[in-house]
Amino acid sequence: MEIQIENRRPPNASHVADVLSRELGFGRYFTDHMFTARWSQEKGWHNAKISAFEDLHLSPAAAVLHYGQALFEGQKAYRQVDDEIAMFRPRMNARRFNQSAQRLVMPTVPEELYLAALERLIDVERDWVPSGAMQSLYVRPFMIATEPLQGVRPANEYLFAIILSPVGAYYSQGFEPVKIFVSRELVRAAPGGTGAAKAAGNYAGSLLAGAQAQAAGCEQVLWLDAVERRYVEEIGAMNVVFVIDGELVTPPLGGSILPGVTRDTVLTVARDRGLTVREAPVALDDLLDAITTKRCTEAFGCGTAAVISAIRSFHVDDREVALTEAPGRIAEQMFRTITDIQWGRGEDPHRWRHMIPRRP
Ligand SMILES: Cc1ncc(COP(=O)(O)O)c(C=O)c1O
């Protein structure tokens, strides 16, 4: 499908330079343009275009506002050492977007349209990709049901859009281990639910536990399984990896866990290095025992936002189980290897970098 470019604004170099010189944070600034495409039962995908970043016009009856048919993705574009722009494994996000769509009975986006939209929009906005340490352009594709509601059923009209935001390093103090709050009471996702999809509602449902974590002086929530409250699932909006008896262990996919791109990357890099990787259930009690007996030497979250987030301690039932003060060796190595690929500093044996072509 042809992507139209409407009213392209010439880049305002001094405005872009001014914004990029500020503390970028996360989602504080957005670029000048966005991508949108519409879907309807009759026409399928149509009206794919790049136009000015502006507010959406939406019926107050739009199904998304009532029944929450909404999903999103989170990926990044990185300025390379040679000034070109690359994405990291964007097809994995395209596939996960479509898996989420299927779970929420929304239309899938042809992978080639998804990629073409990313490439065209990022190319138009390439000046917006920051060049500071650990800075990148956050890419947020999303889809919402726009049809005015007619009862609880899948809508017949959707909007697929992509917006871009220059972002800074995730942790202001660098690569600092974080405190984790074990949520016994609240759960993120149940078997048969939407946990393996990037459904917007999953994140609304996670906010209360996030607030409890903060109140306990912790940065992130550790989610347990919804049935037995016994097995570790994820950490905040990250997958979680443990180093136990020298092996990498992470909870298996296939249920309520989001299949992370970074998770797959970490496991692949670990296997490349000859480390033993096990995708196996991790019971909280066994984990705490392995920490106290020093068999568990490292634990870290992994996700697009922070790449690797080492875990300092677990706050569980009002006690603190300390793991490490400084990031462990494997967390450090993973962080360095993956960020070197993302920013174009290191070898890319699996061809994970996806260069953004320049178009006139
Ligand atoms: C719930 C959840 N788990 C895991 C992840 C990590 O996934 P990825 O590595 O693809 O960013 C994310 C972030 O996208 C998430 O929201």
Side-chain angles (χ1 to χ4, degrees):
M1 186 191 318
E2 192 64 23
I3 299 175
Q4 300 295 329
I5 302 192
E6 273 181 11
N7 304 327
R8 180 172 177 171
R9 294 194 207 161
N12 179 339
S14 63
H15 169 65
V16 176
D18 173 45
V19 171
L20 296 187
S21 70
R22 299 184 205 162
E23 189 70 49
L24 292 175
F26 182 87
R28 196 172 293 166
Y29 303 102
F30 291 92
T31 68
D32 298 320
H33 299 86
M34 63 184 184
F35 168 88
T36 51
R38 301 275 171 178
W39 187 92
S40 67
Q41 193 74 264
E42 305 76 50
K43 294 193 198 163
W45 287 110
H46 60 280
N47 205 8
K49 65 179 186 194
I50 289 170
S51 55
F53 181 97
E54 61 183 8
D55 292 351
L56 300 172
H57 292 274
L58 202 60
S59 164
V64 63
L65 301 175
H66 304 270
Y67 305 135
Q69 246 190 319
L71 64 86
F72 69 99
E73 265 305 321
Q75 41 198 125
K76 284 177 171 177
Y78 308 86
R79 189 171 290 281
Q80 309 289 288
V81 279
D82 63 1
D83 238 21
E84 290 300 309
I85 309 298
M87 298 205 77
F88 185 70
R89 310 186 73 183
R91 273 187 197 276
M92 283 198 79
N93 296 91
R95 289 184 193 137
R96 189 170 66 187
F97 187 94
N98 283 334
Q99 283 158 10
S100 302
Q102 281 166 342
R103 178 62 184 82
L104 299 179
V105 202
M106 297 166 86
T108 54
V109 175
E111 220 168 286
E112 296 316 316
L113 171 61
Y114 186 99
L115 283 178
L118 289 176
E119 287 181 355
R120 288 298 274 146
L121 181 63
I122 295 168
D123 183 40
V124 165
E125 303 287 52
R126 61 174 62 233
D127 292 352
W128 277 101
V129 185
S131 57
M134 289 301 291
Q135 292 182 332
S136 57
L137 187 69
Y138 186 77
V139 179
R140 169 52 62 87
F142 63 97
M143 178 163 37
I144 56 172
T146 51
E147 189 193 18
L149 58 90
Q150 293 173 8
V152 182
R153 60 148 174 80
N156 285 323
E157 289 165 20
Y158 295 88
L159 168 76
F160 165 42
I162 308 174
I163 54 175
L164 305 175
S165 169
V167 296
Y170 192 74
Y171 292 114
S172 47
Q173 294 106 15
F175 191 51
E176 281 261 312
V178 293
K179 289 187 180 175
I180 302 297
F181 174 85
V182 178
S183 176
R184 290 260 198 212
E185 179 205 352
L186 301 173
V187 294
R188 191 190 83 92
T194 56
K198 226 164 149 59
N202 292 347
Y203 297 81
S206 76
L207 298 176
L208 183 55
Q212 292 177 346
Q214 284 212 330
C218 296
E219 277 95 344
Q220 296 283 356
V221 175
L222 181 139
W223 302 107
L224 295 173
D225 77 281
V227 178
E228 296 184 65
R229 312 285 162 95
R230 186 166 164 220
Y231 294 101
V232 172
E233 297 220 319
E234 303 198 56
I235 295 226
M238 288 183 283
N239 296 111
V240 64
V241 176
F242 304 99
V243 181
I244 302 177
D245 295 329
E247 298 178 352
L248 253 68
V249 189
T250 191
L253 300 178
S256 43
I257 294 177
L258 191 83
V261 176
T262 320
R263 176 187 183 278
D264 184 81
T265 302
V266 165
L267 301 188
T268 307
V269 169
R271 290 191 182 105
D272 287 352
R273 296 247 161 102
L275 291 167
T276 302
V277 171
R278 284 197 300 121
E279 294 178 67
V282 178
L284 177 67
D285 288 346
D286 295 345
L287 173 69
L288 298 177
D289 183 57
I291 293 173
T292 9
T293 55
K294 310 264 186 254
R295 288 174 41 236
C296 174
T297 45
E298 292 186 44
F300 53 88
C302 54
T304 298
V307 190
I308 300 290
S309 185
I311 294 169
R312 177 190 298 274
S313 62
F314 293 95
H315 182 97
V316 49
D317 305 331
D318 290 328
R319 74 193 164 106
E320 206 72 19
V321 180
L323 178 55
T324 168
E325 286 294 311
R329 191 174 51 87
I330 293 180
E332 287 249 7
Q333 279 178 358
M334 286 295 164
F335 182 78
R336 202 165 322 115
T337 305
I338 297 169
T339 54
D340 279 354
I341 297 173
Q342 289 171 332
W343 272 272
R345 295 183 297 256
E347 297 259 311
D348 182 20
H350 296 280
R351 307 177 113 249
W352 283 334
R353 277 195 292 263
H354 179 101
M355 303 312 295
I356 301 298
R358 286 177 185 270
R359 298 267 167 73

